[in-house]
Amino acid sequence: MHPKEYRSYARGMALVDTAPTAVPLGGPELPQERRLVTELPGPRSAELLARKAEAVPAGVGHTVPIAAVAAGGGVVVDADGNSLIDLGSGIAVTTVGNAHPKIAAAVAAQAAQFTHTCFMISPYESYVAVAEALNRVTPGDFAKKSALFNSGAEAVENAIKIARKHTGRQAVVAFDHGYHGRTNLTMALTAKSMPYKSGFGPFAPEVYRAPMSYPFRDGLSGADAAARAILQLEKQIGADNLAAIIIEPIQGEGGFIVPAEGFLPALQEWSRANGVVFIADEVQTGFARTGHMFASEIFGIEPDLITTAKGIAGGLPLAAVTGRAEIMDASHAGGLGGTYGGNPIACAAALAAIDVFENDGVIERAREIGDLLVSRLTAMQSSDPRVGDVRGHGAMVAAEFVDPETKAPDAALTAAVAKAAIAQGVIVLTCGTYGNVIRFLPPLSIGDDLLNEGLDIVQAALASA
Ligand SMILES: *Cc1c(COP(=O)(O)O)cnc(C)c1O
């Protein structure tokens, strides 16, 4: 359809009528600049946000007060023509860059071929190819299988189903500060009450919580933190009752907490010795984000099951459980699946994204970005003691803001810095159990200039907060 025809076809869709006459195409061709032509939100964005308030429930919040119309490289452009530096990637999703040309082409081609048959009705090749690719690129030199789903939470739910079926046991252990999603079981697995759980119970039973390794706050070695966790779950649950432990190798929402060296290997070893399925939730850390294809590689672990989503398909909704073939095969036929799981358009996008991850130097770029982030943030830390800790791997780095005397979390300072940065056209996200962490998750397609400019603005926001 010619764009003009599309416009008349789409008449009645108010966004088309109110959009500026020249909405830019997204992708890397977008001018790579921070450009503010209005305050945020500008008038067109304000109009959309007013409609949102009328049409969408308050529970679905937003961080940046804009109406996005295009994105690519390292920027997000809004309906008023503002161009914001993107240091969030839509929560670690657009790792290869927004509207990546290879992904846009793969999506368009698949959409023209067929959009859905349901893999459980009429299977198709791209689903199988994604499973083969995941089995190949995930850590662990053993026979693996993969099943595809729609969201990270759905992948986590299915990993737990599979682990329970395989072991014949019910209990599941998650960790302090852990985040695993917003469905009922994954709310139970998630640690933080506000905003994820409060008022939404009752939660799924047989979910237990163990203490995490949080070097900045507990000062424990990895071995000691693991011994503490293992003692607790042996005494409170009993290994014989435990189907699985699920852990993010580097915690995302919980505050980009990097466990002390040795913590994860000790947990894995104990799980193996006790027939407990070790699940790494790599929904946020997966696919080059940490400067490795998977964060498990950093810690030398080979999880029995890995859950993935977010960065897997360049922005299309797709998720997976990948793991040891004998565990994955525990379920009876028909026990796993879903109407949309492994949708062909999402699979086409994932194959294009995995091609980019493997062949376009993305992992190296994540490491370069990580070096830049860490050197800028540690420089800020050495001149401002309110920056208590800088941590992370690759393009997944955070700063934790504290009272310099007591190390008490400073959520108010964190919120003020983030708000000021956003007002200046830099998209930053906060996280952490105590709300005192700013996390940096830029798309790996961002240039050094933009990244430095974004960090200049964060630094200025901190100085004046
Ligand atoms: C985002 C996230 C999830 C949930 O994924 P959704 O796609 O939002 O359901 C689960 N685990 C981790 C570690 C995440 O970061």
Side-chain angles (χ1 to χ4, degrees):
M1 202 181 291
H2 188 274
K4 272 210 174 125
E5 284 175 58
Y6 180 77
R7 291 212 137 199
S8 52
Y9 164 78
R11 215 158 280 293
M13 289 188 194
L15 200 64
V16 170
D17 284 339
T18 57
T21 40
V23 175
L25 285 176
E29 303 303 319
L30 265 184
Q32 294 298 300
E33 60 182 6
R34 183 177 66 102
R35 182 181 68 236
L36 289 182
V37 296
T38 70
E39 291 197 340
L40 302 183
R44 289 173 189 278
S45 292
E47 203 180 309
L48 179 72
L49 297 178
R51 281 172 52 202
K52 174 183 181 256
E54 286 296 313
V56 181
V60 183
H62 62 264
T63 307
V64 183
I66 62 167
V69 296
V75 299
V76 175
V77 174
D78 79 5
D80 298 287
N82 297 300
S83 176
L84 289 79
I85 298 175
D86 183 8
L87 302 185
S89 301
I91 320 185
V93 169
T94 54
T95 307
V96 296
N98 219 309
H100 188 289
K102 283 188 184 171
I103 289 175
V107 164
Q110 180 59 48
Q113 218 169 343
F114 64 95
T115 51
H116 175 84
T117 60
C118 187
F119 189 74
M120 302 182 304
I121 307 292
S122 312
Y124 39 87
E125 200 249 340
S126 57
Y127 184 121
V128 177
V130 170
E132 289 167 346
L134 292 171
N135 299 342
R136 176 168 53 78
V137 300
T138 46
D141 190 15
F142 40 75
K144 291 181 218 142
K145 292 192 172 181
S146 291
L148 304 184
F149 304 98
N150 301 295
S151 69
E154 208 188 337
V156 170
E157 293 253 357
N158 279 280
I160 304 291
K161 279 170 65 172
I162 291 164
R164 284 178 168 157
K165 187 79 181 176
H166 169 73
T167 57
R169 305 171 182 174
Q170 293 188 350
V172 178
V173 162
F175 285 78
D176 284 338
H177 315 289
Y179 179 86
H180 301 286
R182 295 174 180 271
T183 57
N184 187 264
L185 175 58
T186 60
M187 276 194 294
L189 294 167
T190 291
K192 192 176 178 181
S193 177
M194 274 301 279
Y196 305 121
K197 305 169 73 165
S198 184
F200 298 138
F203 303 113
E206 287 304 311
V207 172
Y208 300 86
R209 196 163 307 287
M212 178 64 184
S213 163
Y214 191 165
F216 176 63
R217 295 205 170 271
D218 66 22
L220 293 179
S221 72
D224 287 349
R228 173 178 69 173
I230 288 166
L231 181 68
Q232 180 168 319
L233 47 96
E234 280 180 342
K235 295 302 162 202
Q236 295 186 7
I237 310 159
D240 291 352
N241 299 308
L242 190 54
I245 69 175
I246 180 162
I247 189 162
E248 302 153 85
I250 299 173
Q251 291 183 319
E253 303 292 315
F256 280 27
I257 299 165
V258 184
E261 200 185 322
F263 179 72
L264 293 170
L267 289 180
Q268 176 178 264
E269 198 179 316
W270 181 86
S271 300
R272 236 171 240 175
N274 289 279
V276 174
V277 177
F278 184 91
I279 306 170
D281 182 351
E282 292 235 26
V283 167
Q284 192 155 157
T285 49
F287 298 106
R289 175 53 58 187
T290 63
H292 298 261
M293 193 64 99
F294 292 94
S296 292
E297 297 164 28
I298 299 169
F299 304 98
I301 56 171
E302 293 181 349
D304 298 315
L305 301 180
I306 296 185
T307 54
T308 52
K310 292 202 165 93
I312 190 172
L316 277 285
L318 189 72
V321 182
T322 299
R324 289 182 187 275
E326 68 274 18
I327 299 178
M328 292 296 294
D329 273 334
S331 171
H332 48 273
L336 305 177
T339 306
Y340 291 117
N343 168 273
I345 298 175
C347 285
L351 291 173
I354 292 168
D355 174 33
V356 174
F357 289 128
E358 291 198 292
N359 299 311
D360 292 359
V362 174
I363 290 176
E364 294 70 24
R365 183 63 191 142
R367 291 181 187 181
E368 288 171 9
I369 287 174
D371 290 345
L372 196 158
L373 283 169
V374 168
S375 78
R376 289 290 312 263
L377 293 170
T378 49
M380 280 185 225
Q381 180 182 29
S382 57
S383 63
D384 190 333
R386 296 174 301 171
V387 182
D389 194 26
V390 173
R391 55 179 178 252
H393 283 269
M396 182 173 183
V397 174
E400 174 162 354
F401 296 92
V402 298
D403 178 312
E405 302 296 310
T406 63
K407 283 208 317 195
D410 194 341
L413 172 67
T414 309
V417 172
K419 191 168 174 226
I422 289 169
Q424 288 298 309
V426 180
I427 299 175
V428 291
L429 309 176
T430 60
C431 65
T433 296
Y434 315 112
N436 68 324
V437 177
I438 292 185
R439 54 173 151 176
F440 298 90
L441 290 163
L444 305 182
S445 50
I446 197 170
D448 284 358
D449 290 354
L450 266 191
L451 184 54
N452 272 313
E453 187 180 343
L455 291 165
D456 290 343
I457 292 201
V458 171
Q459 186 168 3
L462 176 63
S464 57

